[in-house]
Amino acid sequence: MKVEDVKFVKDYIKVTYDAWLKGWHERNGGNLSYRIAEDEIKDIKGELDENSEFTPIEVSVPNLANEYFLVTGSGKYMRNVILDPEANIGIVRIDGKGEKYKIVWGLLDGARPTSEFASHLMSHSVKKEITGGKNRVIYHSHTTNLIALTFVLPLDSKVFTRELWEMATECPVVFPSGVGVVPWMVPGGKAIAEETSKLMKEFDVVIWAHHGTFAAGDTLDLAFGLMDTAEKSAEILVKVLSMGGKRQTITADNFRDLAKEFNVTLPEKFLYK
Ligand code: 13P
Ligand code: ZN
């Protein structure tokens, strides 16, 4: 079967196009990686070229040794993935130590994985460990309203979590552990990858101040849905602030009632007065 025709690749491409339509991916902004399951790789083994050279990934992720990832190319446009998958995305395999990768399909004409590959892999490493292998997706986008809020709200996880929860009743159910915030940092390197992956131990959503958002999910749908929910909430907050701010809201006790009813645990640190 051709790589483009298998289900996980089709699902991945759908997300890249849906995400483009959301307006979160100007030019080459944003990137998406999917840790491919063993049985999914089996179906396309014959299509993969394992003869390419290994390249260092600048971070060490031993628990991802020999894993395969589907990933967007650096400098590639989300909107173009659907038009020419083989040129804009690729499958890479991690080496036996978790320190190098090689391209086994796609990323034609010298293309490379996203410049945020270190952040993706370190986040995958943390999430694989704490979810017992369930988490498969790391997704970075340039969500307009979440970025806007990083110019106005204190860059504090407690404030961002509480404000986003208050803007839509279902938010605490969708991201009960809250959101993490990384202060402005130079993108594309090991330092921001380390900060992001530290926060991924606690959160599934990590906001990069003045830049964008990282979301983690077990499936492509869950990661995309999480990004969509957090960004929608941010959009409501931007509107509320533009209308002069809240006159009434959901209270801390309301959230406690919600948590009981929906059977989720909401950390008390976000339910301050
Ligand atoms: P890439 O084109 O290398 O994926 O970079 C886009 C981006 O959003 C960097 O943060
Ligand atoms: Zn970015």
Side-chain angles (χ1 to χ4, degrees):
M1 213 178 193
K2 272 183 75 187
V3 171
E4 290 99 320
D5 296 332
V6 298
K7 185 167 186 315
F8 79 88
V9 180
K10 284 206 251 176
D11 291 348
Y12 178 103
I13 293 171
K14 182 176 187 310
V15 167
T16 60
Y17 197 67
D18 288 351
W20 152 248
L21 294 178
K22 282 284 180 187
W24 305 333
H25 297 284
E26 76 292 341
R27 204 171 179 277
N28 62 309
N31 24 76
L32 176 66
S33 63
Y34 173 75
R35 188 168 56 82
I36 305 170
E38 260 174 54
D39 55 327
E40 291 169 330
I41 274 293
K42 253 189 235 146
D43 291 342
I44 50 166
K45 259 270 142 89
E47 301 291 315
L48 307 183
D49 174 10
E50 298 270 355
N51 294 316
S52 52
E53 295 286 305
F54 276 110
T55 306
I57 47 181
E58 75 179 321
V59 294
S60 178
V61 283
N63 71 334
L64 300 180
N66 300 312
E67 292 265 16
Y68 290 84
F69 288 88
L70 182 57
V71 62
T72 45
S74 185
K76 302 298 182 185
Y77 293 22
M78 254 342 152
R79 63 185 282 260
N80 288 338
V81 172
I82 196 166
L83 301 174
D84 190 354
E86 233 179 325
N88 293 290
I89 60 177
I91 296 177
V92 304
R93 201 193 106 193
I94 308 300
D95 74 339
K97 286 191 170 161
E99 290 174 358
K100 294 176 183 163
Y101 73 87
K102 68 177 174 185
I103 298 165
V104 297
W105 177 84
L107 293 174
L108 296 178
D109 302 322
R112 291 277 150 205
T114 170
S115 57
E116 306 295 359
F117 203 33
S119 283
H120 281 255
L121 288 178
M122 286 196 78
S123 298
H124 273 293
S125 174
V126 164
K127 288 297 185 193
K128 185 183 175 189
E129 166 92 25
I130 62 179
T131 65
K134 276 203 196 128
N135 189 95
R136 296 206 170 268
V137 183
I138 298 291
Y139 171 35
H140 167 55
S141 69
H142 292 178
T143 39
T144 315
N145 294 285
L146 284 165
I147 296 170
L149 289 177
T150 65
F151 292 90
V152 176
L153 297 183
L155 299 176
D156 176 345
S157 156
K158 285 199 194 76
V159 176
F160 264 82
T161 299
R162 180 63 177 272
E163 293 296 322
L164 292 176
W165 279 1
E166 281 184 36
M167 290 304 114
T169 292
E170 297 198 347
C171 279
V173 182
V174 177
F175 47 95
S177 52
V179 303
V181 183
V182 173
W184 187 87
M185 289 183 78
V186 175
K190 188 175 168 175
I192 199 165
E194 279 169 353
E195 283 312 304
T196 307
S197 65
K198 254 189 246 162
L199 292 174
M200 282 288 180
K201 289 180 185 157
E202 182 175 353
F203 307 109
D204 290 328
V205 180
V206 175
I207 297 163
W208 283 3
H210 322 320
H211 181 149
T213 309
F214 266 75
D218 292 0
T219 65
L220 288 158
D221 265 353
L222 284 169
F224 183 78
L226 179 56
M227 189 73 82
D228 201 8
T229 306
E231 169 61 4
K232 169 87 182 260
S233 211
E235 183 182 346
I236 297 169
L237 185 51
V238 168
K239 289 182 200 289
V240 169
L241 294 172
S242 314
M243 292 186 290
K246 294 176 248 178
R247 270 68 137 190
Q248 59 270 329
T249 189
I250 305 170
T251 66
D253 279 338
N254 291 155
F255 284 126
R256 292 187 185 98
D257 292 342
L258 184 83
K260 254 186 251 152
E261 203 56 43
F262 281 77
N263 218 6
V264 291
T265 305
L266 301 179
E268 275 294 318
K269 68 176 172 181
F270 300 127
L271 299 179
Y272 51 84
K273 277 269 173 232

